[in-house]
Amino acid sequence: MSNPQQLRYSKEHEWLSDAEDGVSTVGITAHAAEALGDVVFVQLPETGDAVTAGEPCGELESTKSVSDLYSPVSGEITEVNQDVVDDPALVNSAPFEGGWLFKVRVSDEPQGLLSAEEYTSFTSGS
Amino acid sequence: MSDIHSDATGEGSGGGPRTTALDAVHRALGATMTDFAGWDMPLRYGSERDEHVAVRTRAGLFDLSHMGEITVAGPQAGELLDYALVGSLSRLAVGRARYTMICDASGGILDDLIVYRTGEETYMVVANAANAQTVLDALRERGSGFADAQVRDDRDSYALIAVQGPEAAAILSGKHSLKGLTDADLDGLKYYAGLPGEVAGCEALIARTGYTGEDGFELFVSPADAVTVWEALTEAGKPAGLVPCGLSCRDTLRLEAGMPLYGHELTTRTTPFDAGMGRIVKFGKSTNDGAFVGREPLEAAAAQAEEAPPRKLVGLIAEGRRVPRAGYEVVSADGSVIGEVTSGAPSPTLGKPIAIAYVDPAYAEPGTEGVAVDIRGRHEPYEVVALPFYKRQR
């Protein structure tokens, strides 16, 4: 699965959409979903929570391991994807679409988020 | 996201991981590979959950060529094995297999093994990949007093292909195609039996053994024939829904079947009695005047298991959705540590996380209330059950 052009990426393998009315959508990349294997449990932050760029805000459990979920930006959670909580397999089947994780009103964006090309070359080595 | 890795334990060897005779096949199938005990092995081909379900309902095909084959041959082969292992292998019938263990001098488990008696004076010992060298060294050392038996490293002589699942026998015998892959009498081949035969025109030891909790076969073939056998099984299995399966689903299948895994439930710090498998230790062996490596400490372990076992191996089923992992603490209602998880995974068959754990005997009865697992600081409630979690309908 290729990395959509219109998104930006973190080195922790999250993707971030461009803000609409100050709100961006966040998920994990296809590369990350593939590395995890079948995701069986997703723990997300709650609406209203403050998240900080680069800090853990949730967990993803797969068959083999558990991974921290980071927010690529700082801000306030405006919505979480209940569909993915109910059916974590969406993370594997549609990581860039129906498997999105949360929406965040961005207050601060760190330096160094990657373009699709940069992220692709960042992950092609692994 | 962090920690994108599997928990397979590789042994860093200077020349990089070893590959099996089926390596090109795995890559062509797009397998996710992992370093396992120094071997580059398929972890999964697609969804490990789908692979697991295929084995439970149809059939799966595994490359297990990393397993370590050791041949013990000669007039004293049985006596050597009786002395070196906890079981009574001299009494094993030709054509049968037995699950057994090799212990160190203090009764700790060095490895769990399947031993096949392939002839009157020939046995094949199959060790776990990570322990194969240890087992080979121990058998050679313990065999030094048996002039009439030889221990041979046959790791490079075999590829091992397993076909597992309710459709496995039909696929091999040809129910799904005009012609079967073997003329061997599979109906006459009982569980834990093995016989030499041909599969897809290639010489094979055909064994009705496995590590999934399903009916199935393990086929020991020459590495030169591995691709032929794999492709013939793939073709013959298509109508039955056979899929290639990786080590990830192998782990969840064995976990549901309550089968121990070396390095998790079994270690040098545990005896067969600790693991609830004392029945495989045969104190009544008549060979070597009853002497075998580890006998005295194992007798003490047997007595202790009767009177006051330190901890018991139990199954745990989650009430919630967070998955317990090896090393997590098992706790009682008041938060005291009463045990440790040795294996844990989401169970595709039960639809809930499950675990195998050593717990204090006071909490080991199925249905014991108030048992929880400390999952990264949160005490998640678990139901104590007897193993296995899953038993196939025969």
Side-chain angles (χ1 to χ4, degrees), chain A residues 14 34-35 38 61-62, chain B residues 1 4 44 48-49 325 376:
Chain A
E14 281 84 30
E34 172 61 29
D38 292 338
E61 292 259 21
S62 67
Chain B
M1 289 231 7
I4 296 185
R44 58 177 178 268
E48 56 230 325
R49 193 181 174 285
R325 309 286 177 184
R376 299 179 295 282

Side-chain angles (χ1 to χ4, degrees), chain B residues 165-238:
Chain B
E167 296 287 346
I171 290 165
L172 265 179
S173 61
K175 198 180 95 177
H176 291 287
S177 59
L178 290 174
K179 188 177 168 303
L181 296 180
T182 181
D183 295 333
D185 172 22
L186 297 184
D187 287 340
L189 191 71
K190 295 193 186 84
Y191 189 52
Y192 264 72
L195 83 178
E198 278 196 357
V199 176
C202 305
E203 263 183 50
L205 171 66
I206 304 168
R208 200 162 202 158
T209 46
Y211 194 50
T212 59
E214 297 300 330
D215 187 22
F217 300 85
E218 293 181 316
L219 309 169
F220 295 85
V221 300
S222 162
D225 293 330
V227 173
T228 305
V229 172
W230 177 278
E231 288 181 344
L233 282 162
T234 300
E235 195 55 38
K238 262 197 192 119

Side-chain angles (χ1 to χ4, degrees), chain B residues 3-350:
Chain B
D3 314 324
I4 296 185
H5 62 79
S6 75
D7 66 357
T9 51
E11 288 179 356
S13 56
R18 300 178 62 182
T19 53
T20 75
L22 292 162
D23 192 61
V25 173
H26 302 319
R27 288 172 198 282
L29 288 166
T32 300
M33 305 295 286
T34 187
D35 182 15
F36 187 84
W39 291 79
D40 204 22
M41 298 300 292
L43 184 67
R44 58 177 178 268
Y45 297 86
S47 152
E48 56 230 325
R49 193 181 174 285
D50 292 352
E51 292 169 22
H52 181 111
V53 172
V55 173
R56 285 273 176 262
T57 56
R58 305 186 305 274
L61 189 61
F62 296 83
D63 177 9
L64 305 175
S65 301
H66 59 310
M67 302 295 283
E69 297 86 2
I70 300 163
T71 299
V72 180
Q76 285 188 298
E79 288 167 59
L80 186 160
L81 289 170
D82 282 0
Y83 174 70
L85 312 179
V86 299
S88 181
L89 288 307
S90 61
R91 300 187 55 187
L92 185 62
V94 173
R96 299 306 305 259
R98 185 159 295 166
Y99 177 80
T100 186
M101 292 182 188
I102 181 167
C103 288
D104 61 21
S106 54
I109 301 166
L110 287 174
D111 200 10
D112 61 339
L113 310 163
I114 306 278
V115 178
Y116 300 87
R117 189 167 193 171
T118 52
E120 196 56 49
E121 297 184 356
T122 321
Y123 294 82
M124 186 165 72
V125 176
V126 181
N128 284 301
N131 296 328
Q133 191 63 48
T134 304
V135 174
L136 181 66
D137 293 346
L139 287 176
R140 282 183 172 151
E141 185 195 341
R142 296 172 190 191
S144 60
F146 297 84
D148 262 345
Q150 298 77 45
V151 176
R152 189 173 73 228
D153 179 359
D154 263 340
R155 278 178 288 184
D156 295 338
S157 312
Y158 294 102
L160 174 54
I161 295 171
V163 55
Q164 298 279 307
E167 296 287 346
I171 290 165
L172 265 179
S173 61
K175 198 180 95 177
H176 291 287
S177 59
L178 290 174
K179 188 177 168 303
L181 296 180
T182 181
D183 295 333
D185 172 22
L186 297 184
D187 287 340
L189 191 71
K190 295 193 186 84
Y191 189 52
Y192 264 72
L195 83 178
E198 278 196 357
V199 176
C202 305
E203 263 183 50
L205 171 66
I206 304 168
R208 200 162 202 158
T209 46
Y211 194 50
T212 59
E214 297 300 330
D215 187 22
F217 300 85
E218 293 181 316
L219 309 169
F220 295 85
V221 300
S222 162
D225 293 330
V227 173
T228 305
V229 172
W230 177 278
E231 288 181 344
L233 282 162
T234 300
E235 195 55 38
K238 262 197 192 119
L242 171 137
V243 297
C245 290
L247 294 183
S248 184
C249 80
R250 182 169 155 89
D251 191 43
T252 49
L253 288 159
R254 70 93 195 166
L255 180 58
E256 286 182 353
M259 294 171 168
L261 173 63
Y262 196 86
H264 288 255
E265 288 73 37
L266 314 175
T267 69
T268 51
R269 297 180 308 281
T270 50
T271 69
F273 295 93
D274 294 330
M277 301 194 124
R279 65 186 178 279
I280 70 169
V281 181
K282 304 298 181 195
F283 293 118
K285 296 189 236 190
S286 53
T287 45
N288 311 305
D289 296 327
F292 63 93
V293 177
R295 179 174 185 126
E296 288 71 24
L298 286 170
E299 280 174 336
Q304 195 189 29
E306 282 293 310
E307 288 158 31
R311 279 185 172 176
K312 285 189 166 170
L313 211 51
V314 299
L316 298 173
I317 300 179
E319 290 169 29
R321 292 171 62 185
R322 298 169 96 227
V323 185
R325 309 286 177 184
Y328 287 13
E329 288 174 340
V330 184
V331 292
S332 64
D334 66 3
S336 20
V337 177
I338 55 165
E340 184 179 313
V341 171
T342 50
S343 296
S347 163
T349 305
L350 279 70

Side-chain angles (χ1 to χ4, degrees), chain A:
Chain A
M1 211 179 292
S2 64
N3 298 305
Q5 285 297 322
Q6 71 278 17
L7 302 176
R8 284 171 308 132
Y9 300 86
S10 77
K11 290 186 176 176
E12 284 81 36
H13 309 282
E14 281 84 30
W15 56 260
L16 177 81
S17 72
D18 282 337
E20 286 179 43
D21 301 332
V23 174
S24 288
T25 306
V26 172
I28 68 162
T29 65
H31 171 85
E34 172 61 29
L36 281 174
D38 292 338
V39 175
V40 296
F41 173 65
V42 178
Q43 192 198 357
L44 298 174
E46 289 178 14
T47 302
D49 281 1
V51 291
T52 307
E55 297 271 318
C57 63
E59 282 179 354
L60 294 155
E61 292 259 21
S62 67
T63 297
K64 277 291 182 202
S65 62
V66 59
S67 297
D68 283 330
L69 170 68
Y70 294 92
S71 176
V73 291
S74 298
E76 184 190 324
I77 301 293
T78 60
E79 193 183 338
V80 296
N81 185 358
Q82 194 53 44
D83 288 349
V84 89
V85 173
D86 296 338
D87 181 14
L90 282 170
V91 174
N92 297 103
S93 60
F96 294 115
E97 288 101 23
W100 64 274
L101 298 177
F102 57 82
K103 296 186 177 181
V104 54
R105 183 172 301 284
V106 182
S107 61
D108 186 40
E109 184 183 308
Q111 294 293 307
L113 290 180
L114 309 174
S115 68
E117 286 81 10
E118 288 167 329
Y119 180 72
T120 301
S121 65
F122 171 69
T123 52
S124 61
S126 63

